[in-house]
Amino acid sequence: MWVSGAGRMLRGMCAKPARPPATYADLEDLPTGWVGEIVGGELVASPRPAIPHALVATRLAGLLDGAFSRGRSGPGGWLVLCEPELRLGGEVLVPDLAAWRRERLPASLDVAAMSVAPDWLCEVLSPSTAAHDRAVKLPAYAREDVGHVWLVDPALRTLELLRLDGAHYTLLATHHGEAAVHAEPYEPLALELRLLWEA
């Protein structure tokens, strides 16, 4: 992961520099294959995730999309997206997955980025991004009133369920292994965790 105040990338996490805040032009200057975000005025860039990370995100998206976007074996009523760009409160965030209740969305979605905070999102943790996801992105999501966050760790095979409680998230439960769980806000679906980990 790389962090920069405004365009010049430095290795590792660093204190907020006394430079101008990062801009969208800094995101556009990133090398191909990097995912950039602006959090707290800093440019944060990470290489595209490894295949195990991408597999878990893709499988989870498929399970939720079928039941909640398309209404197959579920209630429908949601829009589920992979790696959407969120432009919220002057920040640019890219969660692994995010979803909105359709009644909260504008009629037209012909946009490059979403300016409406999601109702739910998921970060798939990796060794290089887990600390940043927890310490930096979770507070940003709380500021934007994202009601539910899931943290999935493919290495540990865990699913952490978080619900916004005031200005912070409360851990509702941690599931692991091959359990079938009914997880907020998608309780109608019996989510079989084994489907996420299978090679």
Side-chain angles (χ1 to χ4, degrees):
M1 179 177 296
W2 302 77
V3 178
S4 170
R8 188 169 66 99
M9 291 188 284
L10 305 172
R11 183 178 286 284
M13 299 298 290
C14 60
K16 283 189 178 180
R19 293 181 174 85
T23 67
Y24 202 81
D26 296 316
L27 292 177
E28 293 173 331
D29 287 341
L30 288 172
T32 301
W34 284 71
V35 178
E37 300 176 294
I38 298 174
V39 187
E42 292 184 358
L43 173 66
V44 181
S46 304
R48 284 279 171 199
I51 296 301
H53 177 124
L55 276 173
V56 167
T58 300
R59 288 175 179 155
L60 181 56
L63 292 168
L64 295 178
D65 183 67
F68 293 94
S69 281
R70 300 172 187 268
R72 292 195 291 253
S73 72
W78 291 74
L79 173 69
V80 180
L81 296 177
C82 295
E83 293 190 355
E85 182 175 296
L86 309 177
R87 296 185 194 174
L88 306 170
E91 298 185 316
V92 179
L93 300 158
V94 183
D96 289 300
L97 299 169
W100 294 258
R101 296 180 190 275
R102 287 191 180 270
E103 64 265 20
R104 293 186 55 242
L105 293 172
S108 173
L109 293 175
D110 188 15
V111 294
M114 298 293 279
S115 59
V116 176
D119 295 286
W120 167 92
L121 59 79
C122 176
E123 293 289 0
V124 180
L125 305 178
S126 63
S128 63
T129 64
H132 175 73
D133 288 342
R134 291 180 185 279
V136 178
K137 291 179 78 172
L138 273 181
Y141 295 144
R143 287 194 299 273
E144 297 301 324
D145 291 323
V146 178
H148 294 85
V149 174
W150 292 5
L151 300 175
V152 178
D153 190 322
L156 298 178
R157 296 189 171 191
T158 59
L159 166 63
E160 296 174 63
L161 308 177
L162 306 168
R163 182 200 301 145
L164 188 61
D165 184 10
H168 305 283
Y169 287 101
T170 298
L171 177 64
L172 299 178
T174 300
H175 301 282
H176 66 279
E178 300 186 355
V181 301
H182 294 269
E184 288 188 15
Y186 299 117
E187 295 94 326
L189 176 68
L191 177 63
E192 296 183 60
L193 295 185
R194 67 177 180 81
L195 299 177
L196 302 183
W197 322 132
E198 289 175 350

